[in-house]
Amino acid sequence: MSAGLQTIIYPVKDLTGAKAVFGALLGVEPYADTPYYVGYKAAGQDVGLDPNGHAKGMTGPVPYWHVTDLADRLAALLAAGAELLQDAQDVGNGRLVASVKDADGNLVGLLQDPVS
């Protein structure tokens, strides 16, 4: 099951510059501000800046579909012909992410929050 698109991650080369732009755009301070990730919550969306995104194969913003069973959805995407970019990884506190590329080169992210 999917809860829809709720997160988008932008690969950035200049984290300081990107923080200024997205801070101005969203009008909020980041909830996470580290050298490896800056995250904002605005209008029900998570917007993230990843200074290592390009090195991970991100060619542009990646929409993350929130799912209840990341392993199941990832397996289904791979069986349907998607190419694995990032296998399931815990990015902190039990939050899992993974990403694939479809046949047209579109990036698709999956995100599973820990069960509370």
Side-chain angles (χ1 to χ4, degrees):
M1 293 290 299
S2 170
L5 289 169
Q6 298 174 16
T7 301
I8 188 162
I9 308 292
Y10 290 84
V12 299
K13 293 180 180 172
D14 175 4
L15 189 58
T16 301
K19 282 172 45 178
V21 169
F22 280 88
L25 172 67
L26 300 170
V28 297
E29 292 296 316
Y31 70 86
D33 192 350
T34 68
Y36 58 88
Y37 182 80
V38 174
Y40 297 88
K41 291 188 184 297
Q45 295 288 309
D46 262 339
V47 177
L49 308 175
D50 184 348
N52 300 306
H54 294 287
K56 296 180 204 172
M58 296 171 71
T59 57
V62 178
Y64 280 80
W65 291 84
H66 287 233
V67 297
T68 55
D69 186 339
L70 187 139
D72 182 59
R73 291 297 87 218
L74 182 58
L77 287 168
L78 295 175
E83 176 186 335
L84 182 66
L85 290 178
Q86 178 188 337
D87 205 352
Q89 174 183 4
D90 188 323
V91 294
N93 299 322
R95 178 176 261 198
L96 302 175
V97 298
S99 60
V100 299
K101 180 169 48 170
D102 72 9
D104 291 309
N106 297 304
L107 303 180
V108 176
L110 300 174
L111 187 151
Q112 177 184 325
D113 280 318
V115 178
S116 339

